[in-house]
Amino acid sequence: MEIVNVDIKTLKPAEYNPRKASKSQYNDLKKSLKEFGFVDPLIVNSAESRKNIVIGGHFRLRVAIDMKFETVPVVYVDISDIEKEKELNLRLNFNQGEWDIDLLANIDEDLLKEVGWDDDELGKMFQLNSYGTDFDLPDGDKEPFQQITFTLADKQAELIKSSVGIAKKGNNADVFGNENSNGNALYRIVKEWAEQKT
Amino acid sequence: MGRAKDIILRVIPSRVANKFIRECHYSGRVVNTSTLHFGCFLDRCLHGVMSFGSPMIKKNMLGMVEGTGWNEMLELNRMAFDEYLPKYSESRCLSIAIRLIKKNAPHIKWIVSFADGCQSGDGTIYRATGFNLTQIKINNSLYRLPDGRVVNNLNMTGKYMLSDLAKRKDISSAWSYNKNAKIMGAKPIRGYQLRYIYLIDKSCKITVPILPFSKIDEMGAGMYKGKKITIKERNLRSKCKGSTSSPN
């Protein structure tokens, strides 16, 4: 692996880089660079179409620019496919601090999974995109259906259940829009009983 | 208001809302009659849920506001937020939710909600959002089961009985909750329940008495984050900390 010192002005941050850093992380890195210098090279693309795009080390580059470094150590990699470049960026940054969720959400979900995000984290991250603010609520009068609860002895319940089971096989007249087959069968039984009584 | 301004509200499916409520609501339980759930997102992630639906016994509620039709009111029956959200988030989220209801369901004239002064709070958020306090009553409906779960008396009998209780052989959904509670060894939790009403349609008239918020301290119903404390004391503490507003 060849490390070369490169003019800092020639390096360009990747537009998609989703990594972000807090003020305290910034200060920590600044302190470290002051004390030890640049001991960890940046990873930079050498491919013609992506020449000098930084893949790993955005945060260090930012601090180095602020600290007026003129050159920084760089390891070049040749990756012409931007998707591969993004993957390497994610792999280099995974498990390292905070992320700009808005930028991260632009990256393919499958790639993030591949790099190591779990379903739960991704679910939380991406769900906002799939929801809106519109909804409907029923208006007008009460629905023309109701539930009735009865208390029955076990023997009574058995007879009613088996009778409802038989009545369900009959025709479906007089359902009044009800889709509950048990309710319709019970109505049929009671109606026949009422007709016989009158 | 700070970061609370950055919160985004979205209508979310019940499966997502219920999962969050089970994890973040102090009761750990969802209300099955909820039909509308708002998710509160900050930094693109879900940090709060508000669930609305019809009250379990709706006909008792309709008369509280004059001329309310069958589908013209909602109950806010669950509100859960995690610690990530900043101060004032709850009242901001509730205000946005009310605005969305007004826009999408203009037939909804008012909202009712209950503050649980037995275990949670006396309704600071409702007061901050402009709800009217309409009742403070001793809450006889909450029970603690021997396994530690807190349940409403309605969940110990009838059609709303919890499924695991309904499977027990020693109790029955046909018996009163009192009888079932005694058999199970469930203990009542004493405290207050406070009822709040928010009029979306300001031309509507609340038919039940509107109580001054000072009544909460008068009745000893003050509670904040599960601890008994008067509103006056909270305001004093808040001023001592250098803030002029009451804690949220």
Side-chain angles (χ1 to χ4, degrees), chain A residues 128-147:
Chain A
L128 179 59
N129 294 345
S130 47
Y131 305 135
T133 55
D134 294 338
F135 58 88
D136 287 316
L137 289 174
D139 58 4
D141 293 332
K142 184 182 169 186
E143 284 190 340
F145 304 105
Q146 50 187 294
Q147 290 183 322

Side-chain angles (χ1 to χ4, degrees), chain B residues 31 33 53-64 70 73 75 77 110 112 114 137 141 152-155 157 159-160 177 195:
Chain B
V31 178
T33 52
S54 285
M56 276 191 189
I57 305 170
K58 200 173 187 175
K59 63 182 176 188
N60 293 355
M61 297 269 185
L62 297 180
M64 292 195 302
W70 187 255
M73 58 85 62
E75 181 181 348
N77 46 35
W110 56 282
V112 68
F114 294 88
K137 69 165 192 174
S141 65
N152 192 285
N153 54 16
L154 285 176
N155 298 130
T157 185
K159 65 177 174 179
Y160 297 115
Y177 71 81
R195 187 182 64 207

Side-chain angles (χ1 to χ4, degrees), chain B residues 73-239:
Chain B
M73 58 85 62
L74 284 175
E75 181 181 348
L76 167 58
N77 46 35
R78 278 289 180 271
M79 193 155 52
F81 298 91
D82 68 17
E83 296 293 320
Y84 187 85
L85 292 183
K87 205 175 175 183
Y88 307 124
S89 298
E90 296 92 335
S91 47
R92 176 168 166 77
C93 290
L94 190 48
S95 301
I96 300 171
I98 291 170
R99 248 184 281 153
L100 289 172
I101 290 170
K102 204 171 171 179
K103 180 181 160 227
N104 289 284
H107 57 283
I108 301 293
K109 292 179 175 167
W110 56 282
I111 293 165
V112 68
S113 196
F114 294 88
D116 177 4
C118 290
Q119 308 176 84
S120 178
D122 55 32
T124 312
I125 300 158
Y126 302 130
R127 294 194 295 279
T129 317
F131 278 66
N132 296 289
L133 174 65
T134 61
Q135 190 183 55
I136 304 173
K137 69 165 192 174
I138 293 175
N139 190 351
N140 292 319
S141 65
L142 292 179
Y143 282 77
R144 193 180 302 280
L145 299 178
D147 63 10
R149 276 183 299 165
V150 175
V151 296
N152 192 285
N153 54 16
L154 285 176
N155 298 130
M156 294 192 289
T157 185
K159 65 177 174 179
Y160 297 115
M161 195 173 197
L162 296 180
S163 55
D164 64 311
L165 300 185
K167 284 177 195 156
R168 286 175 60 149
K169 299 283 177 209
D170 56 337
I171 57 172
S172 165
S173 63
W175 299 343
S176 72
Y177 71 81
N178 249 330
K179 186 176 175 181
N180 287 335
K182 267 186 197 159
I183 294 168
M184 290 189 290
K187 302 276 180 235
I189 300 173
R190 298 291 175 218
Y192 290 87
Q193 184 189 63
L194 300 90
R195 187 182 64 207
Y196 289 88
I197 291 178
Y198 183 90
L199 289 181
I200 296 177
D201 181 346
K202 304 292 182 204
S203 67
C204 290
K205 197 178 158 213
I206 297 174
T207 59
V208 289
I210 296 174
L211 308 176
F213 296 148
S214 58
K215 198 85 181 160
I216 296 172
D217 282 354
E218 273 173 42
M219 289 185 66
M223 179 171 271
Y224 181 67
K225 290 190 173 176
K227 297 229 161 53
K228 279 202 90 60
I229 181 169
T230 63
I231 296 174
K232 199 175 165 188
E233 205 178 338
R234 263 176 277 170
N235 287 341
L236 273 175
R237 283 187 191 180
S238 181
K239 275 180 191 163

Side-chain angles (χ1 to χ4, degrees), chain A residues 40-53:
Chain A
D40 189 11
L42 307 181
I43 310 298
V44 177
N45 207 339
S46 63
E48 202 50 47
S49 56
R50 303 285 298 164
K51 198 161 182 66
N52 287 327
I53 299 282

